[in-house]
Amino acid sequence: MAVLVIAEHDNASLNDATHKVVTAAAKFGGDVDILVAGEGAGDVAAAAAKVSGVRKVVHADGASVAKQLAEAMEALVVPMMSGYDAVFIPATTTGKNMAPRIAAKLDVMQLSDITDVIDTDTFERPIYAGNAILTVKSSDAKKVITVRGTAFEAAGEEGSASVETAEVPAGPFKSEFVSEQMVKSDRPELAGAKRVVSGGRALGSKEEFDRLIVPLADKLEAAVGASRAAVDAGYAPNDYQVGQTGKIVAPELYVAVGISGAIQHLAGMKDSKIIVAINKDEEAPIFQIADYGLVADLFNAVPELTGLIGKD
Amino acid sequence: MKVLVPVKRVIDYNVKVRVKPDQTGVDLANVKMSMNPFDEISVEEAVRMKEAGTATEVVIVSIGPKQAQETIRTALAMGGDRGILINTDETVEPLAVAKILAKVIADESPDLVLLGKQAIDDDSNQTGQMLAALLDWPQGTFAYKIEKDGDALTVTREVDGGLQTVKLATPAIVTVDLRLNEPRYASLPNIMKAKKKPIDEKAPGDYGVDISPRLSVVKVTEPPVREAGEKVEDVATLVSKLKSAGAI
Ligand SMILES: Cc1cc2nc3c(=O)[nH]c(=O)nc-3n(C[C@H](O)[C@H](O)[C@H](O)COP(=O)(O)OP(=O)(O)OC[C@H]3O[C@@H](n4cnc5c(N)ncnc54)[C@H](O)[C@@H]3O)c2cc1C
Ligand SMILES: Nc1ncnc2c1ncn2[C@@H]1O[C@H](COP(=O)(O)O)[C@@H](O)[C@H]1O
């Protein structure tokens, strides 16, 4: 048996989501290979070769897969699948974009966002915003799977796999990359952060969000998250959204500030180890899952909290 | 430009889902059902395109039980022109939905198909991408903005880390994300008008698509419940609790 893992990366560094997918793939069993598709991604391929438990890295380098758009990735991956029983892909926006395209071409029903591998046919995944857990058995010969990173430990970095190169598909494709606007930040990446501070609608403006949430996150060396309401109102960028339809996080510490705790938000953070909620409404649903709830006006509580952290 | 909009009838997003005691699924008896929220956004976008003169016709399609008619009616009341119901009481997996839609598209020849990025019941996030693959069409998923650019479409996508813009040749598949627009509420006169709009009724068999499932449910269980912890009196107490828990 053999499994192909598709690496998540930005052509410069290997994203930790990949290490988690390798753990899921190892649980499936057999040889685990990593595909690094990108442009000028030699460093990524070298990093992938160090991931523990990997047999080999397949490095496909060229302009057509520079952004790993789905059309080109389909053309690259589908022919490779004759040598694999399964492909495991991170449930990131890049992965979610390409995976179903590969599945449809293989005439396979994809398993999205799995949280456990029971055996080579059986997997666990959340449905209804995590309000139910589905154990599902696939009758397809090959498996196409996206993996929820928060459900698996990251594989180590004691490997020394060989790297072989593969041709990239020539194109042209009917879709074309035009541009991107990425949010630059020195903070830990939200999906993999050990601590997260999230702000909600109650912040009232981008200025207040930046004035209150950001310094608290700085003090905690945390990533910043937000509720959908806060993102929609423009207090925080889109990709800060935590929830059913945003990012799934499971940090050691999650601080929810002025967030009511709608099920769609909880879906993205309820597996955090310790949850702190600050909300002035003692009936707010977020308190039903918080380890420590503080009923208070955030405009007083947050500056005080920021001030007290790190003091002895 | 002719626009096709597939809409799914799902449990209303406000309903608290309950797992059945026999672990075969979730309890859907007597719960409120609605249009998948993402599909409201795609209907809204299509209708706005029509209002702006870029779309000529908006065709609504749903695969599901008889009651999915109501979902189609809702979309027609928002401004869709006509509907197609592909009636089945079976659970149709995204791959089979995509196969049926591919056949509908062969009949209808739309220039653009607008789907939701994800259905909030199965949380699959697959159908649009699968459909694009089956048709060999380009795809723009998780759309934040859609602009017509001659014969092409420029789609700005919500991706991890920010926004990405791609250019798609038409015909194309676009799946919509939350911030594309804010769907309207249908007005009473439009609800009345929608009652007269035609809805064609078909069955999966009419398209010769095999919808037998590839996945079988082993069990559906409740997620582990998280107990509420304690309320702390003030910020200082919170800090000392977090310290003793080793969280800070
Ligand atoms: C299809 C769909 C998908 C969705 N996906 C997501 C998702 O991925 N993520 C997500 O977050 N949401 C999502 N939502 C939205 C979700 O349903 C809620 O609307 C949203 O989470 C509410 O955000 P909020 O808690 O910031 O705002 P509110 O619900 O308005 O809560 C604000 C809270 O702040 C408190 N407050 C007000 N003033 C103060 C103060 N001065 N001090 C302290 N507390 C104060 C209030 O008591 C209240 O509890 C989705 C919705 C739909 C329909
Ligand atoms: N039964 C269905 N009928 C019509 N459209 C559907 C159906 N199932 C899925 N879709 C479309 O596909 C999108 C994504 O669904 P999913 O892949 O199941 O998450 C939905 O938002 C709909 O636009």
Side-chain angles (χ1 to χ4, degrees):
Chain A
M1 263 202 335
V3 191
L4 185 66
V5 167
I6 300 185
E8 172 82 15
H9 65 89
D10 59 0
N11 290 321
S13 55
L14 182 66
N15 187 301
D16 195 46
T18 315
H19 299 75
K20 295 174 173 171
V21 177
V22 167
T23 301
K27 197 159 180 201
F28 181 83
D31 294 317
V32 177
D33 294 350
I34 300 185
L35 170 66
V36 174
E39 187 178 33
D43 289 350
V44 179
K50 294 205 182 78
V51 178
S52 303
V54 173
R55 175 177 64 174
K56 72 173 181 205
V57 173
V58 181
H59 180 200
D61 213 284
S64 65
V65 292
K67 295 291 169 188
Q68 300 187 61
L69 293 187
E71 294 80 355
M73 291 302 288
E74 173 206 309
L76 176 65
V77 175
V78 170
M80 285 184 182
M81 288 306 293
S82 60
Y84 294 98
D85 301 284
V87 55
F88 276 54
I89 306 175
T92 56
T93 50
T94 310
K96 290 176 189 169
N97 189 40
M98 73 171 91
R101 214 166 159 121
I102 295 166
K105 272 285 150 72
L106 296 170
D107 195 30
V108 162
M109 191 35 221
Q110 176 183 314
L111 296 136
S112 295
D113 233 351
I114 65 156
T115 48
D116 202 2
V117 178
I118 312 294
D119 60 41
T120 51
D121 292 319
T122 318
F123 306 89
E124 194 185 274
R125 57 178 300 260
I127 51 175
Y128 295 95
N131 287 303
I133 307 295
L134 170 66
T135 305
V136 63
K137 199 174 158 93
S138 159
S139 61
D140 287 316
K142 289 190 197 290
K143 311 291 187 261
V144 177
I145 285 172
T146 62
V147 177
R148 178 173 290 202
T150 53
F152 297 90
E153 295 289 329
E157 298 199 323
E158 284 99 49
S160 55
S162 58
V163 179
E164 71 184 40
T165 53
E167 291 291 308
V168 299
F173 294 97
K174 294 172 188 162
S175 74
E176 192 188 309
F177 172 80
V178 177
S179 63
E180 62 193 5
Q181 293 161 257
M182 291 299 176
V183 180
K184 293 243 178 327
S185 154
D186 298 330
R187 308 180 169 281
E189 193 202 12
L190 185 54
K194 292 223 168 355
R195 293 173 182 163
V196 174
V197 179
S198 288
R201 194 200 307 272
L203 270 303
S205 69
K206 181 174 189 317
E207 290 67 39
E208 292 298 294
F209 193 97
D210 290 346
R211 186 176 72 85
L212 294 166
I213 299 299
V214 173
L216 177 57
D218 283 342
K219 267 282 182 71
L220 290 168
E221 294 168 27
V224 177
S227 69
R228 176 189 171 187
V231 172
D232 283 359
Y235 309 165
N238 298 327
D239 82 306
Y240 281 28
Q241 181 177 314
V242 171
Q244 180 186 18
T245 54
K247 295 246 166 66
I248 309 291
V249 302
E252 318 245 311
L253 176 65
Y254 187 91
V255 184
V257 178
I259 292 178
S260 60
I263 49 172
Q264 293 86 7
H265 188 80
L266 303 189
M269 45 66 77
K270 70 181 158 72
D271 293 328
S272 305
K273 200 146 166 247
I274 295 180
I275 297 173
V276 172
I278 302 175
N279 195 304
K280 70 174 181 189
D281 171 12
E282 64 176 318
E283 302 291 321
I286 189 82
F287 288 128
Q288 288 164 19
I289 62 149
D291 299 283
Y292 303 107
L294 177 63
V295 182
D297 187 327
L298 73 91
F299 294 96
N300 302 324
V302 173
E304 192 183 341
L305 179 58
T306 307
L308 280 179
I309 288 167
K311 266 204 197 131
D312 275 319
Chain B
M1 198 164 68
K2 179 168 170 179
V3 185
L4 191 87
V5 187
V7 298
K8 186 178 186 187
R9 176 182 157 88
V10 298
I11 193 164
D12 187 83
Y13 82 98
N14 270 317
V15 173
K16 172 90 183 82
V17 172
R18 264 174 237 297
V19 171
K20 287 196 219 164
D22 66 1
Q23 303 198 333
T24 55
V26 304
D27 198 353
L28 293 177
N30 303 316
V31 301
K32 185 174 179 216
M33 304 292 281
S34 299
M35 193 190 308
N36 182 37
F38 288 97
D39 303 350
E40 292 180 1
I41 296 171
S42 48
V43 172
E44 175 67 33
E45 193 69 12
V47 170
R48 286 190 195 182
M49 286 176 175
K50 191 168 176 208
E51 287 165 350
T54 42
T56 46
E57 192 186 18
V58 176
V59 183
I60 310 297
V61 192
S62 190
I63 300 160
K66 197 90 197 151
Q67 299 89 319
Q69 276 237 5
E70 295 160 25
T71 314
I72 296 176
R73 288 272 174 231
T74 306
L76 298 178
M78 288 172 71
D81 293 302
R82 62 186 167 89
I84 305 171
L85 169 66
I86 297 141
N87 187 199
T88 171
D89 288 326
E90 304 297 318
T91 309
V92 192
E93 293 170 347
L95 180 62
V97 170
K99 286 180 180 178
I100 295 171
L101 291 175
K103 298 280 187 183
V104 174
I105 287 163
D107 291 345
E108 294 280 342
S109 317
D111 305 284
L112 170 65
V113 183
L114 278 176
L115 302 94
K117 87 161 172 184
Q118 134 186 15
I120 60 158
D121 49 0
D122 61 25
D123 283 333
S124 288
N125 195 332
Q126 299 177 2
T127 307
Q129 298 90 313
M130 287 184 157
L131 180 59
L134 296 175
L135 297 166
D136 275 316
W137 286 9
Q139 70 187 48
T141 50
F142 324 146
Y144 173 80
K145 195 158 116 198
I146 307 170
E147 289 162 301
K148 199 154 177 343
D149 175 2
D151 276 343
L153 289 171
T154 304
V155 178
T156 302
R157 312 176 49 228
E158 290 197 26
V159 296
D160 295 338
L163 295 171
Q164 179 190 69
T165 304
V166 292
K167 192 170 169 174
L168 310 178
T170 51
I173 305 290
V174 174
T175 77
V176 307
D177 215 321
L178 289 172
R179 277 165 284 272
L180 182 63
N181 61 46
E182 229 175 280
R184 71 192 66 191
Y185 290 101
S187 66
L188 196 58
N190 286 340
I191 293 171
M192 298 313 288
K193 252 197 259 166
K195 293 199 167 133
K196 296 200 192 72
K197 292 183 181 174
I199 298 180
D200 227 2
E201 207 178 306
K202 304 266 192 187
D206 297 338
Y207 297 97
V209 173
D210 175 12
I211 61 164
S212 32
R214 308 293 186 82
L215 306 179
S216 57
V217 174
V218 177
K219 61 177 177 181
V220 175
T221 54
E222 297 271 0
V225 274
R226 204 181 164 112
E227 302 291 335
E230 52 184 307
K231 292 256 169 68
V232 293
E233 243 150 68
D234 51 31
V235 175
T237 317
L238 174 61
V239 171
S240 72
K241 296 263 183 192
L242 287 176
K243 274 187 185 151
S244 41
I248 57 173

